[in-house]
Amino acid sequence: MDSSMISMVIEQLLSFQTIIALVIGVVGGIAIGALPGLSTTMAIALLVPITFSMEPVAGLVMLTAIYTSATYGGSIASILLHTPGTPAAAATALDGYQLTLKGKASTAIGVATFSSMVGGFISGIALLFLAPPLAQLSLMFSAPEYLLLAIFGLTIIGSLSSGSMLKGLASGAIGLLIGTIGIDIITGFPRFTFGSMSLESGIALIPALIGLFSLSQVFILIENQVKSGKKVNAKQASGKFFPSKSIIKRITPTVLRSSGLGVIVGIMPGAGGDVGSWVGYNEAKRFSKRKEEFGKGSVEGVAGSESANNAVTGGAIIPMMTLGIPGSSATAVLLGGLMIQGLVPGSELFTTNGHLSYAIIIGFIIANILMGIVGFIGAKYFIKVLDVPQNLIIAIIITICMVGSYAINNSIFDIWVMVFFGIFGYFLRKAGFSTAPIILGMILGPIAERSLGQALVMSQDNFFVYLLSRPISVIFIVLILLTILTPLIMKLIRNRKKEAVS
Amino acid sequence: MKKKSLFFVTVILLVSMLVLAACGSSSDDNAAENFPDKPVTLIVPWSAGGGTDTGARLLQPYLEDELGVSVTVVNKTGAGGWIGWNDLANADPDGYTIGLANSPHIITGYINPTLNRDKDLDDFIGLGMHVVDPDTVSIRPDEDRFTNLDELIEYAQNNEVTVTSTGEGTDEHLVILNLNKEMGTNFVPVHFDGAAESRSSVLGGHVDVLVANLGEILSLYHDGDIEVLGVAAQERSSFMEDVPTLAEQGVEVYQESSRGFLAPAGTDPEVVQILEEALEKAINNEEHIEKMTELGFGVRYETGEDYMSILKDDEQVVIDLKELLGWE
């Protein structure tokens, strides 16, 4: 980037249209993200035609701002109402909502805002400076790596089941089984569809997620209210939104780690924010000095998933801009927005059209900072949700659940899916099962199964030799073995010590 | 207290259901001479943001200008497009509900015997073709086992070669099966979830050959990241004039994926004619063609009747491959 290009980039960014687009993108994105069922991808898809008539930089800055802000917005409802606004925010609900119950909603929102902002910012920096090498790295991932990534992801279930390991694994297995419903991509055969066309594409993730997390939550709220009249209110949830120095000190390693992981997951075309947030959450727990707090209201847990899912956004844009290969479903739509402006992905984008591309990337970085500012200013209004009388909140959540489940595919069937999973989730939670492993199984099961089928064809009979001949696969295998074996070995050593002492 | 909140929840549930039910049913009879006097619904059987959806939303304003009423794009996704097509076939044949079809997906959907579809092409009337996107065969530029189509075919006659596809019975899969049938090659399909994963798998050297629609590989072609060996069409594409067709090189394989507009069978012929004329003008609008070209979509208008006969030809191709697909 020479100096003439820098001045052109600044000129592009300081145009009136770009600034307005940036603000609309950030504010609109947060609102869309906070509402379950209004997905990021859908919002971008509906806005792409509008950007035709806009300046290229303004249009694309608006779309990327929506992408990152909606990913952040998903955390707000997740923390305050246990109603994840996006699948990527499901992991945030685990600790975020526990913090709200403890009257620390402002801390949770503050940490989520800070982590999302830093995660998105870091991914933007990666996009600006490291795009070509990271794009090459993304090409090293294929079916075998996705298979192992999915298996690695499933080991997270172990850390999600705070109570009984058996119950956690059972939930995970339910999720995996649900993931087998639908037409198998390798053979084209419909499985467990019972002749229903609606089941052919499988149980849609978002209605199931809304049911398991939000509707079941409504039932639990009603039950608690009936039993004891207990409720959470914002008066308990006072305090500053910007995280205190001690909290920032505590979450910084987590935020940096999750941001890095998020960028890596982001550049993979087969995995997006929903996978990234779980990986970020799990690694936050693994490296935490206060593991026992996880699941009971850990700020590190919130930081771990929120910085990772926002870091996925910049990461997913990298292969889209350099190779024309979108790293997530939202960036697949963004690609259309790019091309309609006559901007063809690839080297030309960074040379001939460099002044536009760099303006878009820097616009994306600014969007992340603006998102943080809007988040901190807005937090005191978001939290007012807790002031709303519980009866009204229940009504609002149910309405949003209904509309959200319908809107995602314009399908009445999905509303029934949501209601079913709501009732199912309620009874599971009453019986001490965690619902998070079900969602994890539903996300990762199909990835694992599909990748296994692909890898078996690609390996042409020598499956294990094939896996071991691939460097990234070997790294994953080592990670998986470490994850599974470390607790066992630790236990063994502890038992030995005990024996020695006695 | 308990009863009160339970009652409250029940009421909310019921009201929401009623509102939704009301959204689903709205129809009244309109004479053909007044057509159209209310908004037309366009069913897109894929999610917002995909190629079909983008094409539909690009055409939407031009179609609205021609019809003089608004056109609402509704995404009805699932079952490889058949949720949308099933809804279209069951819609009132009053012209106010039309849909976009993709071939060969719509055809393989009902020819695959395991899916037990009760509908086929006879349940629809063609209104006009919109887009044609031929399949292409490409390799990595640094590939050393084969550098042109002849060498690839010869190599694949003696060795197993992996090729990208996007599922059973998709256009990519039909290309692979047809190559094996015509040339005696051993191409093995690796089914990916979409073109993004296909492309990165070939670029990364994990799969040998990239079979994908032309529009999906344009930027890779322009950057020289892949070498396009041939286009599976009757004629060369204006998007890549220098790439020969497969037939020019002695490989008689033709496969494209096409998109066009359908109405439910039983729609009044006068209404069909109004829709057909509006679509023709909208699709041939130069501004529309220009925008589509920028996205790599090849616009090709055909009348409703011609579109239907193209679909019938596509049907025959799939029927001929039934044995190789294991669908008998």
Side-chain angles (χ1 to χ4, degrees):
Chain A
M1 228 189 337
D2 53 27
S3 57
S4 72
M5 198 185 265
I6 292 174
S7 68
M8 279 159 90
V9 165
I10 293 173
E11 193 185 316
Q12 287 283 350
L13 281 172
L14 288 182
S15 86
F16 180 69
Q17 209 183 50
T18 308
I19 293 170
I20 294 290
L22 193 61
V23 174
I24 292 177
V26 168
V27 176
I30 294 176
I32 287 162
L35 294 168
L38 289 184
S39 75
T40 322
T41 312
M42 195 198 297
I44 297 174
L46 297 180
L47 283 174
V48 163
I50 294 173
T51 62
F52 294 163
S53 53
M54 294 169 72
E55 296 288 320
V57 172
L60 282 152
V61 163
M62 181 168 85
L63 295 178
T64 54
I66 287 176
Y67 184 24
T68 189
S69 305
T71 307
Y72 155 66
S75 71
I76 298 169
S78 207
I79 290 169
L80 296 178
L81 302 170
H82 201 269
T83 301
T86 59
T92 311
L94 300 184
D95 283 293
Y97 187 68
Q98 291 300 323
L99 284 166
T100 298
L101 289 182
K102 289 181 178 165
K104 291 184 187 161
S106 48
T107 312
I109 294 277
V111 168
T113 309
F114 176 81
S115 312
S116 296
M117 178 171 82
V118 176
F121 180 79
I122 289 178
S123 74
I125 297 293
L127 173 61
L128 186 59
F129 294 109
L130 296 173
L134 283 175
Q136 289 308 312
L137 178 67
S138 83
L139 293 181
M140 294 178 75
F141 289 86
S142 190
E145 287 74 27
Y146 288 128
L147 167 66
L148 293 164
L149 172 72
I151 296 175
F152 178 62
L154 288 172
T155 63
I156 298 172
I157 291 173
S159 68
L160 287 179
S161 33
S162 44
S164 149
M165 176 68 90
L166 193 66
K167 282 181 177 172
L169 291 176
S171 293
I174 293 172
L176 289 175
L177 286 174
I178 294 169
T180 62
I181 296 173
I183 294 183
D184 173 34
I185 181 178
I186 308 286
T187 61
F189 198 85
R191 302 179 303 189
F192 308 115
T193 59
F194 306 101
S196 154
M197 215 184 270
S198 302
L199 283 172
E200 278 181 17
S201 28
I203 298 284
L205 179 67
I206 291 178
L209 172 71
I210 295 176
L212 285 174
F213 276 70
S214 319
L215 194 63
S216 73
Q217 182 64 25
V218 167
F219 294 143
I220 286 175
L221 282 179
I222 294 169
E223 195 185 15
N224 287 347
Q225 198 178 20
V226 171
K227 269 190 193 152
S228 60
K230 189 177 86 182
K231 62 174 193 170
V232 196
N233 60 51
K235 287 178 196 82
Q236 290 169 284
S238 58
K240 283 205 169 153
F241 292 105
F242 197 83
S244 66
K245 260 186 196 157
S246 67
I247 288 184
I248 289 184
K249 202 177 156 199
R250 216 182 120 191
I251 62 174
T252 298
T254 301
V255 169
L256 295 178
R257 184 187 325 106
S258 284
S259 301
L261 290 168
V263 172
I264 301 288
V265 173
I267 61 173
M268 302 182 199
D274 44 1
V275 176
S277 59
W278 287 112
V279 172
Y281 179 82
N282 189 49
E283 297 313 303
K285 182 172 182 183
R286 190 196 308 271
F287 287 96
S288 172
K289 289 186 190 111
R290 306 188 205 179
K291 286 193 182 59
E292 69 286 351
E293 280 185 17
F294 278 73
K296 299 188 187 81
S298 164
V299 285
E300 288 165 77
V302 173
S305 63
E306 275 309 304
S307 45
N309 64 24
N310 273 83
V312 164
T313 58
I317 298 175
I318 290 175
M320 179 199 88
M321 287 184 88
T322 51
L323 301 164
I325 296 172
S328 66
S329 53
T331 43
V333 182
L334 265 177
L335 181 62
L338 199 65
M339 290 181 54
I340 200 75
Q341 299 283 3
L343 298 173
V344 180
S347 53
E348 197 181 276
L349 203 54
F350 293 90
T351 51
T352 325
N353 290 320
H355 60 294
L356 299 178
S357 304
Y358 286 111
I360 293 164
I361 294 173
I362 293 168
F364 171 73
I365 295 173
I366 298 173
N368 276 293
I369 299 170
L370 185 64
M371 173 187 89
I373 296 170
V374 172
F376 284 121
I377 296 173
K380 63 171 177 279
Y381 302 104
F382 304 151
I383 216 159
K384 289 238 159 63
V385 158
L386 299 176
D387 273 337
V388 177
Q390 197 152 313
N391 282 343
L392 214 54
I393 278 289
I394 288 170
I396 292 168
I397 298 181
I398 290 182
T399 313
I400 293 176
C401 288
M402 292 275 178
V403 175
S405 307
Y406 176 76
I408 205 77
N409 287 326
N410 289 325
S411 154
I412 298 283
F413 181 81
D414 282 347
I415 297 183
W416 294 114
V417 169
M418 188 275 294
V419 171
F420 171 82
F421 276 91
I423 297 167
F424 183 53
Y426 169 75
F427 285 112
L428 281 179
R429 284 169 75 175
K430 291 304 285 180
F433 288 87
S434 165
T435 50
I438 300 183
I439 289 298
L440 201 61
M442 285 181 67
I443 294 172
L444 296 174
I447 296 180
E449 196 198 354
R450 198 167 60 224
S451 317
L452 175 63
Q454 291 157 354
L456 283 170
V457 179
M458 286 159 65
S459 66
Q460 297 179 340
D461 303 335
N462 290 315
F463 185 61
F464 289 102
V465 178
Y466 183 67
L467 282 191
L468 292 174
S469 70
R470 302 169 65 92
I472 297 187
S473 288
V474 173
I475 296 174
F476 271 121
I477 293 174
V478 171
L479 281 176
I480 292 167
L481 290 178
L482 278 178
T483 310
I484 297 174
L485 296 179
T486 315
L488 294 177
I489 295 171
M490 294 291 275
K491 207 173 172 184
L492 216 70
I493 294 173
R494 238 178 286 147
N495 286 348
R496 284 268 169 82
K497 272 188 187 162
K498 264 186 201 162
E499 276 170 30
V501 170
S502 60
Chain B
M1 191 68 184
K2 185 178 183 177
K3 272 191 184 154
K4 201 173 156 193
S5 15
L6 273 180
F7 174 73
F8 196 48
V9 171
T10 319
V11 168
I12 298 277
L13 280 166
L14 282 174
V15 168
S16 320
M17 289 292 175
L18 279 175
V19 169
L20 287 165
C23 293
S25 62
S26 62
S27 68
D28 50 298
D29 286 310
N30 277 78
E33 58 255 37
N34 296 331
F35 184 86
D37 62 359
K38 61 176 185 180
V40 171
T41 299
L42 171 60
I43 296 180
V44 171
W46 308 99
S47 51
T52 309
D53 177 75
T54 310
R57 287 180 198 277
L58 265 178
L59 185 69
Q60 184 188 10
Y62 303 101
L63 188 57
E64 285 178 341
D65 284 349
E66 298 300 335
L67 285 172
V69 293
S70 62
V71 174
T72 320
V73 176
V74 177
N75 302 88
K76 293 261 183 188
T77 58
W82 265 94
I83 293 279
W85 295 318
N86 202 49
D87 278 9
L88 177 64
N90 289 332
D92 267 341
D94 58 3
Y96 288 103
T97 309
I98 59 174
L100 258 172
N102 307 65
S103 180
H105 305 78
I106 188 167
I107 291 156
T108 48
Y110 64 80
I111 292 190
N112 182 348
T114 59
L115 298 177
N116 285 321
R117 304 254 187 267
D118 56 359
K119 300 200 168 57
D120 57 28
L121 284 184
D122 295 336
D123 291 284
F124 303 100
I125 298 175
L127 296 176
M129 189 151 93
H130 186 200
V131 173
V132 163
D133 201 355
D135 279 281
T136 55
V137 178
S138 318
I139 55 172
R140 280 186 303 283
D142 60 356
E143 177 64 69
D144 48 18
R145 291 168 294 175
F146 30 80
T147 53
N148 56 42
L149 190 67
D150 283 344
E151 287 175 27
L152 171 64
I153 298 284
E154 199 191 320
Y155 185 86
Q157 281 164 344
N158 302 311
N159 301 280
E160 280 199 353
V161 176
T162 52
V163 188
T164 61
S165 172
T166 56
E168 277 278 311
T170 54
D171 47 318
E172 292 89 356
H173 192 204
L174 298 183
V175 170
I176 297 169
L177 293 178
N178 255 325
L179 282 171
N180 287 346
K181 189 175 142 197
E182 298 289 329
M183 309 304 293
T185 46
N186 301 301
F187 288 117
V188 189
V190 186
H191 296 298
F192 288 98
D193 207 13
E197 284 180 48
S198 296
R199 283 174 289 179
S200 66
S201 279
V202 172
L203 287 184
H206 313 291
V207 176
D208 302 321
V209 179
L210 176 67
V211 169
N213 290 113
L214 188 142
E216 293 162 346
I217 59 160
L218 259 186
S219 59
L220 295 180
Y221 159 78
H222 283 303
D223 263 13
D225 288 331
I226 53 164
E227 199 178 322
V228 188
L229 299 182
V231 182
Q234 305 277 0
E235 287 164 29
R236 291 190 183 202
S237 163
S238 58
F239 288 104
M240 25 180 98
E241 297 274 8
D242 60 324
V243 179
T245 65
L246 293 178
E248 275 178 57
Q249 305 171 74
V251 179
E252 296 273 340
V253 172
Y254 306 96
Q255 185 66 54
E256 42 193 33
S257 72
S258 66
R259 297 205 287 269
F261 293 85
L262 297 176
T267 308
D268 187 331
E270 283 175 45
V271 170
V272 169
Q273 201 189 339
I274 295 168
L275 285 167
E276 242 190 307
E277 279 165 11
L279 279 166
E280 179 177 3
K281 282 186 196 146
I283 292 170
N284 285 329
N285 183 305
E286 291 205 0
E287 206 179 72
H288 164 253
I289 294 177
E290 202 178 302
K291 280 184 181 175
M292 293 288 280
T293 309
E294 257 173 25
L295 281 175
F297 295 135
V299 174
R300 191 169 109 203
Y301 176 75
E302 300 283 352
T303 64
E305 204 177 315
D306 291 346
Y307 175 50
M308 216 54 194
S309 67
I310 290 171
L311 289 180
K312 286 278 178 198
D313 291 347
D314 288 353
E315 186 182 43
Q316 195 53 49
V317 171
V318 181
I319 290 173
D320 290 345
L321 286 171
K322 263 172 116 174
E323 195 188 329
L324 283 172
L325 283 160
W327 285 356
E328 279 184 314

